[in-house]
Amino acid sequence: QLQVVESGGGLVQPGGSRRLSCAASGFTLDSYAVGWFRQAPGKERKGISCINNTNGRTYYDASAKGRFIISRDNANHTVYLQMIRLKPEDTAVYYCAVGSGCTVLAGSYDYWGQGTQVTVSS
């Protein structure tokens, strides 16, 4: 089956860091573009960043630049989202999405994980 799984969420102190991972079952993640999204309670799902499959180019939403870094480890077939200087407003469910091209638009992706909760609180 084709399945996308996020991991790495949890509770983190304000100002702290966290790294999320995205992996896949049933297909090779290396061949696809991967995007990260998040959805806070009562708000729309919003794109954070994405990374291309062919050239590895990365893209970031303006609100994410400077505190979020996306990367790909083909040896482990994994895409990461490194988050630093986290704030309480970063609290959300974070989703990994897989598609044919890199975009921060949710409708462009074919496969989605179930999400991993990140809570930023003291």
Side-chain angles (χ1 to χ4, degrees):
Q1 61 178 4
L2 304 180
Q3 188 173 58
V4 179
V5 180
E6 310 95 339
S7 62
L11 178 64
V12 59
Q13 297 287 316
S17 301
R18 198 81 177 185
R19 189 176 74 168
L20 307 182
S21 300
C22 177
S25 299
F27 65 99
T28 302
L29 191 61
D30 305 345
S31 302
Y32 296 86
V34 176
W36 283 99
F37 294 76
R38 67 182 180 183
Q39 187 168 20
K43 297 186 177 181
E44 298 288 331
R45 187 172 300 187
K46 190 174 180 64
I48 303 170
S49 179
C50 64
I51 184 167
N52 262 328
N53 57 328
T54 55
N55 55 21
R57 288 190 64 188
T58 59
Y59 303 87
Y60 296 90
D61 181 78
S63 65
K65 289 185 176 181
R67 296 194 302 116
F68 296 82
I69 301 173
I70 191 170
S71 62
R72 184 190 294 271
D73 181 358
N74 285 334
N76 292 318
H77 312 295
T78 303
V79 171
Y80 302 100
L81 182 69
Q82 179 68 53
M83 307 182 294
I84 63 172
R85 299 193 301 276
L86 287 165
K87 306 173 182 179
E89 51 262 45
D90 293 320
T91 296
V93 177
Y94 285 72
Y95 297 89
C96 176
V98 178
S100 59
C102 185
T103 174
V104 295
L105 299 177
S108 299
Y109 294 88
D110 302 308
Y111 309 108
W112 290 79
Q114 291 300 306
T116 184
Q117 176 71 45
V118 175
T119 301
V120 185
S121 177
S122 59

